[in-house]
Amino acid sequence: MSATKVPEQFSGFAADSPETWDHPKLVKYAPKKLLPVDITIQIQACGVCGSDCHTIKGNWGPYNRPDLVVGHEIIGKVIEVGSQVTKHKVGDIVGVGAQANSCGECSRCKSNNEQYCQKGGVFTYNAPDPKADNYITQGGYASHVRLNQHFAAAIPKNLDIHDAAPLLCGGLTVYSPIVRNAGHDLTGKTIGIVGIGGLGAMALQISKALGAKKVYAFSRTNSKEKDAKALGADELIATKDNANWVAEHLDEFDLILNCANSGKGANLDPYLQVLKLTGVFANVSAPPADEKLEITPFPMILNGSTIKSSAIGSMKEADEVLKLYADKGLKPWIEKVAVSEDGVSEVLSRIDKGDVKYRFVLSDFEKFFN
Amino acid sequence: MTVEAVPETFKGFGVDVPENWNKPKLVEYQRKKINPKDVVIKNICCGLCGSDILTLKSSWGEFGRNDQVVGHEIIGHVIAVGEEVTEYKIGDRVGIGAYSSSCSDCSRCKSDNEQYCTQGVGTYNGVDPKADGYKTQGGYSSHSIAHEQFVFPIPEALSSSDAAPLMCAGLTVFSPLVRNIGYNAEGKTVGIIGIGGLGHLALQYANALGAKVVAFSRSSSKKEQALKLGAHEFIATGEDKDWTSKYADTFDFILNCASGIDGINLSDYLSTLKVQQKFVSVGLPPVKDTFEISPFSFLHHGSAFGSSLLGSKKEALEMLKISAEKGIKPLVEEIPISEAGCNEALTRCDKGDVRYRFVFTDFDKAFA
């Protein structure tokens, strides 16, 4: 076994404050200490999530460290394992998403709901890890990452690492509410996906792959119609252009999943109206921390509908969505950008404007960091 | 079938404009035509629902006629039935709730979800497309007419005054309870917010279904009564600022029965729901009032927020059966119906000065 050297310091692209959010600089930092259940990963690729942008711009609260490295769609090779690690071995290719730790003991952690850990869960970046002396976690725009084995998923051998990366956060985040609210088998079900961006594109693929009877894409105009249909939509509804769409689709939807980067004044009422009586409107978007959602029971009273929220997914679901893509030969639509200061700057600036079809994946990590 | 027994006009206590919301006057009005599946009743009594006030104050929009009669917790005796009515005969004692008709044809009507029919007609302030657009009048009146699907037989064991509030308040809490925790709720913990017209019945039903029941109110003034009505625990949210820390991951379901948003911190309640469980609000505030919540509060527990409208006839029959068997009754204050009686009851109910439901009685005298 060729042991890859584990460095004492990791390297990564860090922002020091929200003012410099779109041009992080290469820095070195001390990694989290290795606990018996931890693994160390040499990173090969990292997807770019909207959360990276929200966090680094300070939309979700202040930085918890002055050299913040984001990135939580990480793929890499295991190069070190703690003494109690059983889930992975050195040489394995694994992926890491938005969660790096949890208490492991509460009823939620023990029932495949670790993303809802009662103690709050530890995010992959910008979060204190109470099991590591409150080390503030660092993400995957970096040479390495170190975390609890449980929160790394094995990557199927027949899935290219760049195709796997977006599944670790974006893919999981839409997969979980789809299967929890409409089932693992969508035969006979009608699914609506609102917002055809990073999340929405994967949600269309997943809904079709799970056998939905009909998949609708919702967008403001029909500019993304061709893409939406290629991704798996049967039809695209352009909500701004078609004033009658609600009346035409009453009682149709088993699930509508909101993948839009919900801005102020997002009006959910029309989506609530077209749900079946047993239908659910699930929201995965997380707008800026100071935005308040205003809720009234009125729109839901006419069909007893429900607004539900969902955060990422469990590790069990991470394995499932990776397997789904591998088995069905699906690939997320990605744009690869070689990692470097310029590359990182480019992806952050462009994702902030929604200028990507539909997920960036930073690549060529080994070349850059060696 | 003898429609000759039915007068052409009915009498009731109606309101002309929102400014006079609590001063209904005795009026006489043309009745709705009787359709083949309609049941006509002579009213015995009628409960006062919060919706009556919100409608008359036009908090939910303007009401549709200048002699608007409200009231949708109606008990009466059948005096006539349309030629296609099969369930009822003259003399039966029955009740009518908040809907009086629907299309009968859609997938919802055909699946015990008629209360969600998109063509549903409210017992009052509705427009009935099957009766030439008649603007419906409610039960503060001499007679009522409804499609038989919306007429419920009252068990002998229940007095008319006790049955009346079940027609709307009872059904409105019973339906979401059974749809969310089931008819056998042993092992489940339910929170009921707001101990008023709806809440005091919700406590009884949740208990009867086998759940552990926790009552929420702002102060502890209703504590003893809540515990007597079926609550196992009581939390005064205005007095116990730390309550959420003792109730993490506790509730399988929370039902909001409060009529307003005051003092309801939605984030607090969501934080005590088990993962992916529901908060349903049947309390309907004025249209302009909303709950404010940080999306992160929702996300942390994968919680759901929803609403529920009335209940199906199937549920109404179950509810009446359980009420008769387990002795579930509303706590009622009877008021003889009259202009003065309506004025007093509406004014006091608006202030929450009732434990816990007014029921108008003595209809014979008022409409002789």
Side-chain angles (χ1 to χ4, degrees), chain A residues 74-98:
Chain A
I74 311 168
I75 306 287
K77 184 171 66 177
V78 178
I79 61 170
E80 180 184 36
V81 295
S83 59
Q84 289 172 18
V85 169
T86 50
K87 189 176 176 187
H88 308 290
K89 57 188 194 309
V90 170
D92 285 350
I93 306 297
V94 299
V96 174

Side-chain angles (χ1 to χ4, degrees), chain A residues 107-108 116-118 120 180 251 277 291 293-295 297-298 300-310, chain B residues 60 108 113 116 249 273 275-276 278 284-285 291-293 295 298-307 309:
Chain A
S107 60
R108 296 172 180 198
Y116 298 113
C117 171
Q118 281 178 12
R180 287 184 187 219
D251 246 346
L277 284 183
E291 244 180 57
L293 198 56
E294 280 186 2
I295 279 194
F298 278 101
M300 287 160 265
I301 205 172
L302 295 176
N303 57 5
S305 53
T306 298
I307 295 184
K308 198 166 187 192
S309 56
S310 179
Chain B
W60 289 346
R108 295 177 182 192
N113 284 302
Y116 292 114
D249 246 346
L273 278 167
V275 76
Q276 312 236 282
K278 256 192 194 171
L284 289 180
F291 291 110
E292 237 189 36
I293 183 174
F298 257 127
L299 286 172
H300 187 44
H301 306 280
S303 316
F305 178 98
S307 189
L309 180 67

Side-chain angles (χ1 to χ4, degrees), chain A residues 111-131:
Chain A
S111 62
N112 291 311
N113 282 302
E114 60 271 45
Q115 71 274 39
Y116 298 113
C117 171
Q118 281 178 12
K119 300 249 164 49
V122 179
F123 294 127
T124 298
Y125 52 73
N126 201 34
D129 187 344
K131 292 186 180 179

Side-chain angles (χ1 to χ4, degrees), chain A residues 40-338:
Chain A
T40 305
I41 299 167
Q42 182 179 54
I43 299 175
Q44 297 172 336
C46 187
V48 178
C49 181
S51 310
D52 299 347
C53 204
H54 275 305
T55 301
I56 210 168
K57 288 178 98 178
N59 288 344
W60 287 351
Y63 290 13
N64 289 318
R65 54 185 300 158
D67 56 349
L68 179 60
V69 175
V70 296
H72 59 204
E73 293 187 339
I74 311 168
I75 306 287
K77 184 171 66 177
V78 178
I79 61 170
E80 180 184 36
V81 295
S83 59
Q84 289 172 18
V85 169
T86 50
K87 189 176 176 187
H88 308 290
K89 57 188 194 309
V90 170
D92 285 350
I93 306 297
V94 299
V96 174
Q99 186 170 15
N101 217 340
S102 73
C103 82
E105 274 159 13
C106 67
S107 60
R108 296 172 180 198
C109 282
K110 290 187 173 166
S111 62
N112 291 311
N113 282 302
E114 60 271 45
Q115 71 274 39
Y116 298 113
C117 171
Q118 281 178 12
K119 300 249 164 49
V122 179
F123 294 127
T124 298
Y125 52 73
N126 201 34
D129 187 344
K131 292 186 180 179
D133 305 316
N134 287 323
Y135 177 90
I136 305 298
T137 52
Q138 292 280 57
Y141 294 5
S143 58
H144 302 79
V145 71
R146 175 177 288 156
L147 82 164
N148 181 337
Q149 61 173 336
H150 178 74
F151 291 94
I155 303 302
K157 298 225 184 316
N158 56 341
L159 196 52
D160 179 277
I161 60 167
H162 306 96
D163 293 331
L167 304 180
L168 273 316
C169 181
L172 178 59
T173 293
V174 298
Y175 178 83
S176 180
I178 290 173
V179 298
R180 287 184 187 219
N181 291 294
H184 282 82
D185 177 358
L186 298 180
T187 304
K189 304 258 165 100
T190 301
I191 311 290
I193 305 295
V194 181
I196 311 310
L199 261 49
M202 285 187 275
L204 291 173
Q205 292 180 311
I206 290 167
S207 302
K208 213 32 167 178
L210 293 176
K213 180 175 86 170
K214 193 155 183 193
V215 180
Y216 286 88
F218 288 96
S219 198
R220 279 165 291 191
T221 68
N222 59 7
S223 60
K224 296 182 180 174
E225 184 167 9
K226 192 152 161 272
D227 285 356
K229 287 183 171 171
L231 285 160
D234 294 294
E235 203 178 306
L236 179 133
I237 295 175
T239 54
K240 282 255 175 317
D241 298 339
N242 181 357
N244 263 341
W245 75 266
V246 170
E248 289 163 13
H249 294 278
L250 290 177
D251 246 346
E252 217 176 311
F253 291 87
D254 293 280
L255 170 68
I256 297 181
L257 185 65
N258 181 23
C259 301
N261 193 11
S262 71
K264 286 199 197 328
N267 184 8
L268 305 179
D269 290 6
Y271 301 113
L272 295 169
Q273 288 177 54
V274 296
L275 288 170
K276 289 182 178 168
L277 284 183
T278 47
V280 172
F281 178 93
N283 194 39
V284 293
S285 62
D290 58 355
E291 244 180 57
K292 296 267 180 234
L293 198 56
E294 280 186 2
I295 279 194
T296 160
F298 278 101
M300 287 160 265
I301 205 172
L302 295 176
N303 57 5
S305 53
T306 298
I307 295 184
K308 198 166 187 192
S309 56
S310 179
I312 40 180
S314 65
M315 290 314 293
K316 178 166 176 281
E317 285 160 344
D319 289 338
E320 287 173 12
V321 71
L322 287 162
K323 183 170 191 300
L324 180 69
Y325 271 72
D327 288 354
K328 304 246 173 181
L330 290 172
K331 296 174 190 308
W333 289 19
I334 64 174
E335 182 178 332
K336 283 190 231 177
V337 173

Side-chain angles (χ1 to χ4, degrees), chain B residues 279-300:
Chain B
F279 178 106
V280 167
S281 188
V282 285
L284 289 180
V287 252
K288 56 176 177 46
D289 288 354
T290 59
F291 291 110
E292 237 189 36
I293 183 174
S294 152
F296 280 105
S297 303
F298 257 127
L299 286 172
H300 187 44

Side-chain angles (χ1 to χ4, degrees), chain B residues 108-238:
Chain B
R108 295 177 182 192
C109 282
K110 292 184 174 167
S111 63
D112 292 316
N113 284 302
E114 64 271 19
Q115 71 275 37
Y116 292 114
C117 173
T118 56
Q119 313 290 318
V121 181
T123 297
Y124 57 73
N125 200 29
V127 174
D128 194 340
K130 296 184 183 176
D132 308 314
Y134 183 87
K135 293 181 179 165
T136 54
Q137 295 279 57
Y140 296 7
S141 63
S142 55
H143 302 79
S144 299
I145 305 177
H147 183 292
E148 73 175 330
Q149 181 67 19
F150 296 89
V151 177
F152 313 132
I154 305 302
E156 286 238 1
L158 295 174
S159 74
S160 295
S161 288
D162 286 342
L166 305 184
M167 298 297 98
C168 182
L171 187 54
T172 294
V173 299
F174 185 81
S175 177
L177 281 170
V178 296
R179 288 185 187 217
N180 286 282
I181 60 172
Y183 282 90
N184 180 359
E186 277 211 33
K188 306 232 166 112
T189 304
V190 176
I192 305 292
I193 304 173
I195 313 308
L198 263 51
H200 88 289
L201 286 167
L203 293 176
Q204 296 181 69
Y205 288 122
N207 185 304
L209 295 170
K212 175 169 172 195
V213 185
V214 179
F216 290 94
S217 198
R218 279 167 293 184
S219 78
S220 42
S221 59
K222 297 177 182 177
K223 180 174 179 175
E224 245 187 76
Q225 201 148 53
L227 295 172
K228 278 206 205 112
L229 286 164
H232 297 97
E233 283 168 28
F234 180 94
I235 298 166
T237 54

